[in-house]
């Protein structure tokens, strides 16, 4: 199985912030998942690349996290539990099962009002101040509520490549998307299946 730490660091195949956040555990359904946001600082790096926070908010949060490592670790634990929650919600959605919204609703009860939007570098983001370490969680939660309250909820897919486990919104007209990325997982999986087929043929000939 190929391991490419750049894959999730720079490629966002989920199509929605909450799904790209869910995809920060690489090879999620394999025996050896790879954590792409091992700590709060790494998570802030992800927020910058995914453009969920302004550079100013990220700089402010980096300073707070350095001063309060225990609080940063607690915020990180809360983020990872939200991520696990998104996995189970997405799995329920793609199986057309009922989702358990208890955790999401408890978080929504604590969420601040949505701040004004700002346009930075050609994209829009929530203008959060970067004052509290839990702040970066909110754009992810708001993205999740947008998915759940829209047609996206019926279009959640999970990559069919062995061990990948990445989620996406299947926006293909006939809902036939199989891979997080045709170029990455699709190519690898097609090669793997062709190889397995050839091996089977050779083994068959050998008797
Ligand atoms: Zn994949």
């Amino acid at each position: 199985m190929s391991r490419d730490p750049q894959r999730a660091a720079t490629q966002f195949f989920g199509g929605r912030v909450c799904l790209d956040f869910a995809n920060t555990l690489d090879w999620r359904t394999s025996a050896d998942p790879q954590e792409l946001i091992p700590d709060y600082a790494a998570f802030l790096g992800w927020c910058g690349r995914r453009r969920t926070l302004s550079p100013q908010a990220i700089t402010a949060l980096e300073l707070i996290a350095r001063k309060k490592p225990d609080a940063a670790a607690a915020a990180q634990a809360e983020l990872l539990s939200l991520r696990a929650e998104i996995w189970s919600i997405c799995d329920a959605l793609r199986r057309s099962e009922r989702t358990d919204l208890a955790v999401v609703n408890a978080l929504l009860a604590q969420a601040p009002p949505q701040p004004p939007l700002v346009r930075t570098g050609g994209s829009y983001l929530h203008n959060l101040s970067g004052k509290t370490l839990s702040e970066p969680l909110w754009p992810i939660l708001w993205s999740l509520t947008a998915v759940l309250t829209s047609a996206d909820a019926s279009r959640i897919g999970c990559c069919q490549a062995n061990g990948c486990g990445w989620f996406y919104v299947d926006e293909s007209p006939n809902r036939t998307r199989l891979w997080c990325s045709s170029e990455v997982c699709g190519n690898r999986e097609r090669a793997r299946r062709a190889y397995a087929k050839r091996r089977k043929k050779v083994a068959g000939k050998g008797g």
Side-chain angles (χ1 to χ4, degrees):
M1 188 177 283
S2 64
R3 298 267 161 180
D4 179 7
Q6 287 302 307
R7 187 173 81 122
T10 55
Q11 297 174 315
F12 300 111
F13 300 141
R16 304 293 181 271
V17 163
C18 62
L19 300 184
D20 285 329
F21 178 63
N23 297 344
T24 54
L25 188 66
D26 208 4
W27 300 109
R28 184 178 67 87
T29 52
S30 76
D32 186 18
Q34 189 178 19
E35 182 56 78
L36 299 168
I37 48 164
D39 53 32
Y40 191 82
F43 167 68
L44 286 180
W46 178 87
C47 294
R49 291 189 300 278
R50 189 58 181 82
R51 305 183 68 79
T52 63
L53 292 176
S54 67
Q56 294 83 344
I58 290 172
T59 305
L61 289 168
E62 279 168 348
L63 274 175
I64 301 174
R66 272 204 291 275
K67 277 188 205 149
K68 299 178 176 176
D70 291 349
Q76 174 78 355
E78 196 175 20
L79 284 156
L80 295 190
S81 73
L82 173 62
R83 189 176 66 176
E85 202 57 35
I86 298 173
W87 296 336
S88 49
I89 287 172
C90 286
D91 275 327
L93 288 174
R94 69 196 186 89
R95 293 183 187 130
S96 303
E97 290 167 5
R98 273 181 87 87
T99 53
D100 181 351
L101 296 174
V103 172
V104 169
N105 282 338
L107 284 171
L108 282 171
Q110 304 167 34
Q114 285 200 24
L117 297 176
V118 279
R119 187 175 155 90
T120 321
S123 60
Y124 296 92
L125 45 81
H126 294 103
N127 195 14
L128 289 158
S129 59
K131 282 189 184 133
T132 61
L133 291 169
S134 59
E135 243 174 51
L137 184 143
W138 307 124
I140 297 167
L141 186 71
W142 292 324
S143 163
L144 179 63
T145 59
V147 163
L148 283 164
T149 55
S150 69
D152 289 353
S154 63
R155 288 186 172 269
I156 300 295
C158 188
C159 181
Q160 297 299 301
N162 214 5
C164 173
W166 275 15
F167 293 106
Y168 48 80
V169 174
D170 184 352
E171 293 176 284
S172 64
N174 297 320
R175 305 190 190 197
T176 49
R177 180 170 167 183
L178 291 174
W179 321 112
C180 63
S181 155
S182 186
E183 288 75 32
V184 181
C185 274
N187 276 347
R188 189 187 55 251
E189 195 70 5
R190 280 187 287 270
R192 190 184 72 80
R193 289 178 188 184
Y195 178 73
K197 212 171 163 183
R198 277 201 306 276
R199 287 280 301 249
K200 212 175 158 188
K201 229 173 168 177
V202 170
K205 274 180 192 160

